[in-house]
Amino acid sequence: MEHQEFNEVKQVKEHESKLLSQDKVENLIQQAQEAKVSAYCPYSKFRVGAALLTTSDCVFTGCNVENACYNLGICAERVAISKAVSEGHNKFKAVAVASDMSDQFISPCGACRQFMREFGSDWLVYLSKPDGTYLEMTVNQLLPVSFGPDDLSMNKVAN
Ligand SMILES: [Zn+2]
C-alpha cells in the first residue's frame, strides 16, 4: 500500500516536471495557428494546424492536406509528426492543435491519437480554440488502454 502511494506521488511529480510553462504553451499554440494558414482543404474547408515540440526544443509544424481522392487526406498532427521523424526527431514533449472552431476545442481524430501513441503515451496534447484558450491532456488520456510498440514483444500463444 505504502509502495503504491509512493509510486503515485512519483508519477504526479514526473508528470508535473513534464508540464510546459504558460509562455511555452501559448507560443506552441501560436505556431499551430500560423501553420493552419497553409492548410490545403478545398473540400472540407476545415483548416487545422499543429505544432510539435521535441524533447530537444525543436518545433515542427503541420497542416491538413486533403486530396481529390478524399480518403487520402492527411491530418495536421500526422504531417507534423512525420516531418519531425523524417528529420531525425522522435521524442516529443507536446503538440498543440489549432482550428477555426470558435466554440469547441479541436480534438485529434482516432488515427492521430494512435499515431501520437507510437512515440509514447505520457506527452502532452493541447487542444485549442482560435482565442488561444486550451485544454491540456496527455496522449494516454486521449487514448487509454492503447496498443503500442511494446505489445508486439509480449508473450504469445505458441503456434
Ligand atoms: Zn487526425
Side-chain angles (χ1 to χ4, degrees):
M1 194 61 194
E2 267 178 34
H3 182 67
Q4 192 188 343
E5 280 170 18
F6 173 76
N7 276 343
E8 281 170 11
V9 169
K10 198 174 150 206
Q11 280 173 7
V12 168
K13 277 191 178 159
E14 277 180 4
H15 180 67
E16 279 175 357
S17 72
K18 286 174 182 161
L19 296 180
L20 301 188
S21 68
Q22 182 84 7
D23 273 3
K24 278 197 171 177
V25 175
E26 285 170 7
N27 194 258
L28 203 60
I29 289 170
Q30 169 94 39
Q31 290 179 84
Q33 288 173 344
E34 285 165 15
K36 181 180 70 177
V37 174
S38 302
Y40 177 78
C41 52
Y43 311 108
S44 73
K45 313 261 196 263
F46 192 95
R47 303 187 306 165
V48 183
L52 176 70
L53 180 67
T54 71
T55 54
S56 53
D57 280 330
C58 293
V59 174
F60 290 88
T61 60
C63 62
N64 50 334
V65 182
E66 294 183 347
N67 194 278
C69 178
Y70 279 23
N71 54 2
L72 286 183
I74 182 168
C75 304
E77 300 93 312
R78 279 179 284 153
V79 168
I81 292 171
S82 298
K83 280 169 73 176
V85 172
S86 69
E87 301 289 326
H89 298 261
N90 60 17
K91 291 186 172 57
F92 308 126
K93 277 185 193 169
V95 62
V97 190
S99 83
D100 295 316
M101 289 192 296
S102 54
D103 299 331
Q104 205 160 317
F105 297 103
I106 180 70
S107 183
C109 78
C112 286
R113 294 174 192 210
Q114 181 66 34
F115 211 82
M116 291 169 186
R117 192 266 169 267
E118 179 70 17
F119 304 99
S121 54
D122 63 347
W123 51 291
L124 300 164
V125 185
Y126 291 95
L127 323 183
S128 76
K129 287 183 191 171
D131 66 4
T133 55
Y134 60 86
L135 282 182
E136 179 187 81
M137 300 189 75
T138 63
V139 172
N140 188 54
Q141 285 172 323
L142 288 167
L143 191 69
V145 202
S146 62
F147 181 84
D150 295 343
D151 291 309
L152 293 177
S153 54
M154 291 293 166
N155 285 334
K156 301 174 194 75
V157 291
N159 54 5

